[in-house]
Amino acid sequence: AQKITQTQPGMFVQEKEAVTLDCTYDTSDPSYGLFWYKQPSSGEMIFLIYQGSYDQQNATEGRYSLNFQKARKSANLVISASQLGDSAMYFCAMREGLGTSYDKVIFGPGTSLSVIP
Amino acid sequence: DGGITQSPKYLFRKEGQNVTLSCEQNLNHDAMYWYRQDPGQGLRLIYYSQIVNDFQKGDIAEGYSVSREKKESFPLTVTSAQKNPTAFYLCASSISLTPWRSTGELFFGEGSRLTVL
């Protein structure tokens, strides 16, 4: 069963507008972490933002914020004031099994974001 | 500079041949991971390791093998048993986490692109 779901294969956003990329996850671990990564066409993986399951406040990093709704198991990425350079694939990821040999990070299928001038 | 080095960047293989992809890190990270990415797809976990001389199968381990004899190194062998090995392979590392220290993103190498002729 898919543990990370990203329901938007492709998204378009006008430059300077905000956009929300959806992510839902499934885990039975009480302690876990949620990440968002950006992958431009060059293939490199760029870390954007992190949210721990026990963090009370939503994470923010510059123009990126993570809308964490624990009860709904959702961790949506919000990009404010989109720029042309934001055009890329975006992956939601979850780390579970913390502190064990089975500590691993799994990724969702990704959302392709295109920013329109 | 600290980082993760993957080699080779591009590799061509004939059907029936084994090939080994190198991954070396000088970040003093305990955890290392191998992912496979097909065009337009997300990252799928092949193998991961939290400690030297120990590793776990990920979601798509069949046809692959790894070793973790040194903390800095986590080579991946794509064997002839892997039916469709043409893909982009990404190696990553991170600090080990516990339920009480759950912040730690993955650092990625630049990837190795394997093509089977």
Side-chain angles (χ1 to χ4, degrees):
Chain A
Q2 189 74 272
K3 298 198 91 171
I4 306 281
T5 303
Q6 294 180 253
T7 57
Q8 306 150 314
M11 290 275 289
F12 291 90
V13 64
Q14 203 76 35
E15 194 178 4
K16 299 179 187 173
E17 297 291 311
V19 63
T20 298
L21 306 184
D22 294 340
C23 173
T24 57
Y25 60 92
D26 182 32
T27 183
S28 55
D29 283 8
S31 179
Y32 53 90
L34 297 158
F35 305 83
W36 278 92
Y37 280 84
K38 171 184 177 181
Q39 187 181 44
S41 56
S42 59
E44 64 182 307
M45 294 292 287
I46 301 169
F47 167 71
L48 297 178
I49 198 167
Y50 172 85
Q51 179 85 41
S53 59
Y54 288 127
D55 293 341
Q56 296 294 323
Q57 293 190 327
N58 287 343
T60 60
E61 288 287 348
R63 293 187 298 113
Y64 305 108
S65 60
L66 198 152
N67 184 2
F68 180 46
Q69 297 187 44
K70 193 170 181 177
R72 297 177 63 180
K73 294 189 174 177
S74 125
N76 298 340
L77 176 70
V78 180
I79 306 175
S80 63
S82 297
Q83 301 171 356
L84 295 178
D86 293 335
S87 295
M89 282 291 287
Y90 287 81
F91 294 102
C92 179
M94 176 177 66
R95 186 163 187 169
E96 57 180 356
L98 304 185
T100 73
S101 296
Y102 300 93
D103 179 346
K104 62 182 179 183
V105 180
I106 54 174
F107 285 76
T111 294
S112 176
L113 178 67
S114 298
V115 180
I116 304 166
Chain B
D1 284 354
I4 300 180
T5 302
Q6 287 188 241
S7 62
K9 198 167 183 177
Y10 297 95
L11 186 61
F12 298 89
R13 188 195 95 175
K14 291 182 181 178
E15 280 193 29
Q17 286 182 338
N18 291 358
V19 63
T20 297
L21 307 180
S22 169
C23 179
E24 303 277 331
Q25 54 99 358
N26 60 4
L27 300 167
N28 199 31
H29 286 167
D30 288 306
M32 296 188 75
Y33 307 80
W34 273 107
Y35 294 91
R36 169 182 172 141
Q37 187 177 29
D38 294 287
Q41 309 277 324
L43 280 66
R44 291 186 290 168
L45 184 61
I46 306 173
Y47 270 99
Y48 59 105
S49 168
Q50 289 296 322
I51 196 169
V52 173
N53 292 324
D54 186 47
F55 49 82
Q56 308 297 333
K57 291 182 180 180
D59 298 322
I60 56 163
E62 185 175 349
Y64 299 97
S65 66
V66 293
S67 63
R68 187 84 189 275
E69 296 175 1
K70 298 187 297 182
K71 187 175 183 178
E72 314 80 57
S73 178
F74 192 40
L76 174 75
T77 297
V78 185
T79 75
S80 55
Q82 169 49 235
K83 292 182 178 137
N84 185 18
T86 294
F88 186 52
Y89 291 88
L90 283 159
C91 179
S93 73
S94 83
I95 59 172
S96 282
L97 303 185
T98 69
W100 303 276
R101 185 179 71 166
S102 61
T103 301
E105 74 267 28
L106 296 186
F107 290 77
F108 282 87
E110 293 186 335
S112 293
R113 198 168 296 276
L114 172 64
T115 302
V116 173
L117 303 172

